[in-house]
């Protein structure tokens, strides 16, 4: 990723350089939502500031762990504090540089799709499955998992069912009849005067994730449901 098109990386690097005292925000644009803002401080949260879904995933992670889209490294730092072995990856050079400065022992500038070694646990938190982009890429995702998961390995990911966007005042949900899955979103981020490229992002409901996994000889277990249609899922190979 080019630094001049990396709002997240600049936000993380500047926040850390200021001694983690900044109050800057990342602006998030999407045609599906009103413009939103993310406090950069959230990317530096500690274990007791994390949602229950993330805490549970960190507790369950075992063996050789891959933290996908690690950003500022908050999850990897907690795992290191738990004396667990973790490799943190991100496509942002500035994020990786910051993770190294924060003391993450194995922080790598690499795309998830380029990983070739095997891991016992793969963490895809903060809707990390979003990197799949759209439903058409799910077969590629499961094939890649088959290559990089150890025989008894598993993936922990959290996501959300965006059906709530189509819920009326009476609680009735009417999903659109579009050709595209309703969880396929596009985003664009901005930090100060740095505007990133638009990118596709996937939110997937638990039932659909289970259906797609079965097609590729994986099984999905919902470890924990949470508010606002959020959930934590565990993905393993069929035995």
């Amino acid at each position: 990723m080019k630094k001049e098109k990396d709002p997240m990386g600049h936000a993380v690097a500047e926040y850390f350089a200021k001694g983690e005292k900044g109050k800057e925000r990342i602006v998030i644009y999407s045609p599906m939502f009103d413009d939103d803002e993310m406090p950069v401080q959230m990317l530096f949260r500690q274990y007791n500031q994390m949602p229950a879904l993330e805490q549970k995933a960190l507790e369950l992670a075992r063996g050789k762990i891959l933290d996908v889209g690690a950003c500022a490294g908050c999850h990897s730092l907690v795992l290191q504090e738990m004396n667990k072995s973790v490799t943190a990856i991100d496509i942002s050079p500035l994020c990786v540089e910051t993770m190294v400065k924060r003391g993450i022992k194995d922080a790598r500038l690499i795309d998830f799709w380029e990983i070739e070694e095997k891991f016992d646990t793969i963490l895809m938190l903060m809707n990390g499955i979003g990197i799949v982009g759209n439903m058409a890429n799910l077969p590629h995702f499961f094939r890649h998992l088959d290559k990089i998961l150890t025989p008894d390995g598993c993936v922990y990911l959290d996501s959300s069912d965006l059906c709530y966007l189509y819920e009326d005042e009476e609680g009735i949900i009417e999903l659109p009849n579009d050709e595209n899955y309703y969880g396929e979103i596009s985003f664009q981020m901005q930090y100060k005067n740095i505007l990133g490229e638009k990118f596709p992002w996937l939110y997937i409901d638990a039932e659909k994730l289970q259906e797609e996994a079965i097609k590729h000889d994986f099984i999905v277990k919902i470890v924990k449901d949470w508010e606002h249609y959020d959930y934590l899922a565990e993905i393993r190979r069929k035995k």
Side-chain angles (χ1 to χ4, degrees):
M1 178 182 291
K2 296 181 179 179
K3 290 185 178 181
E4 63 270 19
K5 291 289 187 178
D6 183 13
M8 184 77 77
H10 279 276
V12 165
E14 287 187 17
Y15 186 85
F16 180 73
K18 291 179 179 178
E20 303 186 4
K21 295 180 181 179
K23 296 183 179 179
E24 289 83 358
R25 295 172 178 266
I26 299 167
V27 183
I28 303 172
Y29 306 108
S30 173
M32 290 290 294
F33 306 95
D34 293 333
D35 294 351
D36 197 6
E37 293 184 346
M38 176 194 299
V40 182
Q41 182 180 9
M42 189 187 79
L43 302 173
F44 289 79
R45 61 196 181 281
Q46 298 179 351
Y47 178 82
N48 60 3
Q49 299 170 316
M50 295 177 183
L53 297 183
E54 294 179 16
Q55 293 179 346
K56 186 66 174 179
L58 296 176
E59 292 166 7
L60 292 171
R62 62 167 186 83
K64 187 179 177 183
I65 304 165
L66 180 67
D67 182 7
V68 180
C71 195
C74 63
H75 299 124
S76 290
L77 284 173
V78 171
L79 290 168
Q80 285 187 177
E81 291 168 0
M82 293 177 171
N83 294 317
K84 297 184 179 184
S85 173
V86 58
T87 297
I89 65 171
D90 206 284
I91 60 171
S92 163
L94 289 169
C95 283
V96 174
E97 290 172 16
T98 302
M99 284 194 283
V100 171
K101 292 176 182 177
R102 297 189 75 201
I104 293 176
K105 299 173 184 178
D106 186 4
R108 306 181 193 178
L109 180 63
I110 187 171
D111 194 305
F112 169 71
W113 307 106
E114 297 173 354
I115 291 290
E116 295 182 350
E117 64 189 280
K118 293 184 180 294
F119 291 86
D120 301 300
T121 303
I122 297 176
L123 294 177
M124 306 183 76
L125 303 179
M126 293 187 71
N127 196 66
I129 196 173
I131 63 173
V132 174
N134 54 56
M135 296 295 289
N137 285 335
L138 277 174
H140 176 45
F141 171 66
F142 285 110
R143 285 194 298 269
H144 191 53
L145 290 186
D146 195 42
K147 292 179 181 178
I148 66 175
L149 272 179
T150 56
D152 294 322
C154 67
V155 180
Y156 291 107
L157 63 85
D158 56 3
S159 193
S160 302
D161 185 348
L162 296 190
C163 67
Y164 68 86
L165 295 175
Y166 305 95
E167 185 174 2
D168 64 21
E169 296 178 355
E170 297 179 355
I172 298 174
I173 297 174
E174 292 189 13
L175 298 177
N177 293 321
D178 300 342
E179 293 182 4
N180 295 334
Y181 175 65
Y182 65 90
E184 296 176 350
I185 307 295
S186 67
F187 284 117
Q188 189 173 26
M189 294 185 179
Q190 182 170 358
Y191 175 69
K192 295 183 176 178
N193 63 339
I194 302 168
L195 182 65
E197 303 283 358
K198 293 181 180 179
F199 58 92
W201 199 250
L202 177 66
Y203 291 87
I204 185 168
D205 68 273
E207 183 176 350
K208 181 64 70 174
L209 179 61
Q210 290 168 326
E211 291 175 359
E212 294 299 319
I214 289 172
K215 295 177 184 178
H216 301 279
D217 294 323
F218 283 87
I219 57 174
V220 173
K221 173 186 175 183
I222 303 306
V223 178
K224 193 176 184 66
D225 286 309
W226 198 242
E227 57 192 14
H228 213 59
Y229 297 92
D230 296 339
Y231 65 90
L232 174 66
E234 175 189 273
I235 303 177
R236 292 182 180 272
R237 290 186 182 86
K238 286 183 183 178
K239 292 186 178 181

